[in-house]
Amino acid sequence: EAQVTQNPRYLITVTGKKLTVTCSQNMNHEYMSWYRQDPGLGLRQIYYSMNVEVTDKGDVPEGYKVSRKEKRNFPLILESPSPNQTSLYFCASSFRTHSEAFFGQGTRLTVV
Amino acid sequence: GNSVTQMEGPVTLSEEAFLTINCTYTATGYPSLFWYVQYPGEGLQLLLKATKADDKGSNKGFEATYRKETTSFHLEKGSVQVSDSAVYFCALSGIQGAQKLVFGQGTRLTINP
């Protein structure tokens, strides 16, 4: 089954404690991205990757890092989380930037 | 800049009512347009899309037509069901120089039996 898998689904952490949210896709897509969803703001892109070892900033990259060492994986790293990073995070992949995007089920992160 | 504006929600309708969710966009060039749906506790999934002017996307009884002259992509359904309750996002992509989907703020739809 074609899917994008994120882990964990829920995470509560404390300010400053490094964390990683994993994302994996099984569709051999080249393009992957991370979004955060906040009430009234829709989804905003954090980072994207057009292929292995190629990543770039989206609209709201501050406080986040990503890596793309393999085509299928695109982890999101928060080196020192802060409460304003409390949000619902989605990973997405697609064949091209303007083709249908497939989304993971989301990770609800709370930073206290 | 490039942006998408959706009608504000929440929207509450009775079962079998007619649904319209308005979406207008601002973009340079000729974007592809999408409607995504997010059911409770799930990620977004593509509902329908249109890639050029006058195209009509349709799926599960929903329709939307790409109107270049009015820069709109309104979502419609003739008879909604309780199972259509969800958050609906209008989005565009394929803009020159922008490697991403640009989303509207989402419209929460609740259908009462």
Side-chain angles (χ1 to χ4, degrees):
Chain A
E1 180 190 354
Q3 60 184 2
V4 177
T5 303
Q6 287 178 237
N7 280 297
R9 292 287 311 276
Y10 302 91
L11 179 60
I12 301 174
T13 190
V14 296
T15 299
K17 185 176 181 183
K18 180 179 178 180
L19 66 92
T20 299
V21 183
T22 63
C23 174
S24 180
Q25 51 95 2
N26 62 0
M27 294 166 279
N28 203 35
H29 286 162
E30 293 190 345
Y31 184 78
M32 297 186 74
S33 57
W34 277 101
Y35 294 85
R36 60 178 289 173
Q37 182 180 8
D38 301 291
L41 296 176
L43 278 82
R44 294 176 293 167
Q45 191 184 55
I46 302 170
Y47 268 94
Y48 66 91
S49 169
M50 297 189 70
N51 213 327
V52 175
E53 302 292 1
V54 180
T55 63
D56 209 345
K57 296 176 181 178
D59 295 317
V60 288
E62 293 78 21
Y64 305 95
K65 284 176 57 178
V66 293
S67 69
R68 188 91 181 274
K69 293 186 171 59
E70 306 164 280
K71 198 171 189 178
R72 63 184 292 124
N73 295 324
F74 190 45
L76 179 70
I77 303 154
L78 285 71
E79 295 267 2
S80 183
S82 62
N84 65 11
Q85 293 178 297
T86 293
S87 187
L88 180 58
Y89 291 86
F90 288 101
C91 179
S93 75
S94 61
F95 180 58
R96 287 189 295 269
T97 58
H98 56 275
S99 30
E100 173 185 359
F102 291 80
F103 285 79
Q105 288 200 291
T107 297
R108 185 166 293 282
L109 172 66
T110 303
V111 183
V112 299
Chain B
N2 302 304
S3 65
V4 175
T5 303
Q6 290 180 232
M7 69 184 284
E8 294 212 9
V11 174
T12 302
L13 295 171
S14 297
E15 206 165 21
E16 299 183 3
F18 184 86
L19 168 70
T20 300
I21 300 178
N22 290 336
C23 170
T24 57
Y25 68 90
T26 302
T28 51
Y30 303 97
S32 295
L33 300 175
F34 305 84
W35 277 100
Y36 282 84
V37 59
Q38 183 181 27
Y39 298 106
E42 298 185 14
L44 281 73
Q45 55 186 273
L46 181 69
L47 180 60
L48 53 84
K49 68 178 183 182
T51 58
K52 61 183 188 297
D54 300 324
D55 268 3
K56 177 187 280 190
S58 61
N59 187 25
K60 299 182 182 180
F62 291 89
E63 293 183 340
T65 301
Y66 189 141
R67 301 284 189 202
K68 185 166 170 285
E69 63 277 10
T70 54
T71 61
S72 65
F73 193 54
H74 305 321
L75 182 69
E76 296 182 335
K77 187 174 185 182
S79 176
V80 292
Q81 306 300 313
V82 172
S83 57
D84 293 326
S85 298
V87 181
Y88 292 81
F89 291 92
C90 186
L92 62 80
S93 76
I95 314 158
Q96 270 187 324
Q99 309 294 344
K100 63 182 178 183
L101 281 164
V102 177
F103 286 91
Q105 71 270 38
T107 302
R108 182 175 298 279
L109 173 67
T110 301
I111 307 299
N112 293 321

